[in-house]
Amino acid sequence: MKNKFFKSPMKSLMAMFLVLFAVACNQMEDVQPSLENELIINSNSSLFEFNESIGAPIFWEGMRGPVKGGNLECSDLPNSYAFTTGRNNYDPVTGTFEKPWPAGFTVNVINNKFVEWSYTAPDANSCLGTMAVIVKGGPGHNVYTINGATSGSGLTAPLVGKGNIADLSNLTFCYNLVPCQDEAECENDTAFAGESGQMLNNKGWYYLMTLDHNYSATNTLWAGQNKAAGTVSIHPKNGNSNILVVEINLAAGFTLQTGDNWYVHGYTSAPSERPKGGQQGSAVTWSKGEASSAPITVEVNRNSATIFAVHVNVKECK
């Protein structure tokens, strides 16, 4: 009985050992050969909130000792970057980094956890292209991919323990530089719709639109007196001549100014002076508004009007 009792536990222990060994082997086999440095990449973006310009981070978790002493480098990332700041260790006691940042970079850390950064091109050939930021804290990293932004905030290391954000350990910027593009020069202008060569000038220049027998008209929108900035058309709504539809389209290179930027004045006879955008004056029908972009479609009551002043505040960018 003694021998029988002794052999049974031994068999159980051996069976348990074989099961555990098999599970461990299966887990090792699940690691892809391409991850021979024993790194696992998981998506972990739901734990964070970002600016729109910041891509969701990729979470890199060390598994039995990550590569390079536990620190990722730009060369480990899937995309290619011509420049790197190199790993810059952060001292939570002094709140400073071990090395100065390259020209153009400004970095601040809030509460030893939240990274704020900005970049200002030091010359015309050094504007920021694509970039990745490696944020290390605790045993893991967050890698942020950033396109088109020159600043950002809220970058953190992964969560540790019971869902706490790890203190920052080190930070690396991987980036490409591109030639800077000249900013467009824009000029605000006033535009009126009307027939070419029929500009009026009394207390300021302006054009007028005259409806035909179908209560319709289509004219060029003139900016700065003689620059074709688009077209304006007026026609009855569904054949009803008492309600008119005004459609404003802008030409390439022209956009709208902010604030009230379109005005429609309707008259039974031509006004004796330039219509004022914010005032009805002698108009028998009048409407104004702010549009964020063109084309603009407006409905107005005709109120017996047959002559219209359509005024648009435009911006020309070259």
Side-chain angles (χ1 to χ4, degrees):
M1 291 293 292
K2 267 187 171 182
N3 288 341
K4 196 170 184 183
F5 179 79
F6 176 77
K7 286 179 182 179
S8 179
M10 285 298 292
K11 287 181 180 179
S12 298
L13 288 172
M14 286 297 292
M16 185 179 298
F17 174 80
L18 290 173
V19 170
L20 291 173
F21 180 79
V23 170
C25 288
N26 286 337
Q27 288 179 343
M28 289 299 292
E29 288 173 0
D30 287 340
V31 177
Q32 300 176 17
S34 62
L35 302 179
E36 57 187 13
N37 291 313
E38 297 181 333
L39 288 176
I40 294 178
I41 308 174
N42 302 313
S43 172
N44 202 36
S45 61
S46 61
L47 299 175
F48 304 89
E49 294 180 0
F50 315 104
N51 296 339
E52 291 181 0
S53 59
I54 300 178
I58 300 172
F59 179 61
W60 298 64
E61 180 183 1
M63 179 179 173
R64 293 202 309 278
V67 295
K68 301 177 180 65
N71 293 288
L72 289 174
E73 295 182 359
C74 296
S75 58
D76 298 315
L77 304 183
N79 296 325
S80 177
Y81 299 98
F83 300 93
T84 175
T85 61
R87 185 173 76 248
N88 205 346
N89 294 323
Y90 177 74
D91 185 344
V93 176
T94 61
T96 59
F97 286 92
E98 183 178 54
K99 301 178 295 185
W101 296 104
F105 281 96
T106 300
V107 180
N108 293 307
V109 181
I110 310 300
N111 296 331
N112 292 332
K113 298 179 185 295
F114 304 97
V115 176
E116 298 178 345
W117 67 276
S118 64
Y119 178 83
T120 302
D123 57 67
N125 292 314
S126 301
C127 275
L128 197 61
T130 55
M131 185 172 75
V133 186
I134 304 172
V135 186
K136 170 69 185 298
H141 313 69
N142 271 335
V143 180
Y144 294 82
T145 56
I146 298 170
N147 294 307
T150 55
S151 64
S153 61
L155 281 64
T156 67
L159 301 182
V160 293
K162 297 182 178 180
N164 298 313
I165 298 174
D167 282 352
L168 178 66
S169 174
N170 59 67
L171 193 63
T172 305
F173 289 86
C174 316
Y175 57 101
N176 293 310
L177 296 177
V178 296
C180 302
Q181 295 182 353
D182 293 334
E183 292 187 5
E185 295 183 3
C186 298
E187 179 181 354
N188 290 339
D189 221 332
T190 297
F192 279 90
E195 288 287 343
S196 176
Q198 295 186 9
M199 186 185 77
L200 302 169
N201 198 339
N202 187 5
K203 295 186 179 181
W205 68 271
Y206 59 101
Y207 287 85
L208 296 173
M209 299 179 68
T210 302
L211 302 184
D212 61 19
H213 65 281
N214 292 317
Y215 301 100
S216 300
T218 298
N219 291 122
T220 300
L221 184 66
W222 301 100
Q225 300 186 16
N226 54 17
K227 290 182 288 187
T231 59
V232 176
S233 65
I234 302 175
H235 59 84
K237 180 180 180 181
N238 300 325
N240 182 357
S241 62
N242 292 318
I243 301 177
L244 301 179
V245 177
V246 181
E247 295 180 349
I248 303 169
N249 288 276
L250 297 183
F254 288 89
T255 58
L256 295 167
Q257 298 178 33
T258 56
D260 286 345
N261 47 31
W262 62 263
Y263 309 87
V264 177
H265 291 78
Y267 304 89
T268 54
S269 60
S272 59
E273 62 183 68
R274 173 173 168 152
K276 296 179 181 179
Q279 300 177 20
Q280 183 170 354
S282 61
V284 295
T285 185
W286 175 67
S287 186
K288 68 174 184 175
E290 178 181 6
S292 58
S293 62
I296 304 168
T297 301
V298 181
E299 293 184 8
V300 297
N301 290 318
R302 189 170 69 84
N303 249 8
S304 301
T306 56
I307 298 173
F308 283 82
V310 180
H311 165 200
V312 184
N313 290 332
V314 298
K315 180 166 58 176
E316 182 182 13
C317 297
K318 300 178 181 179

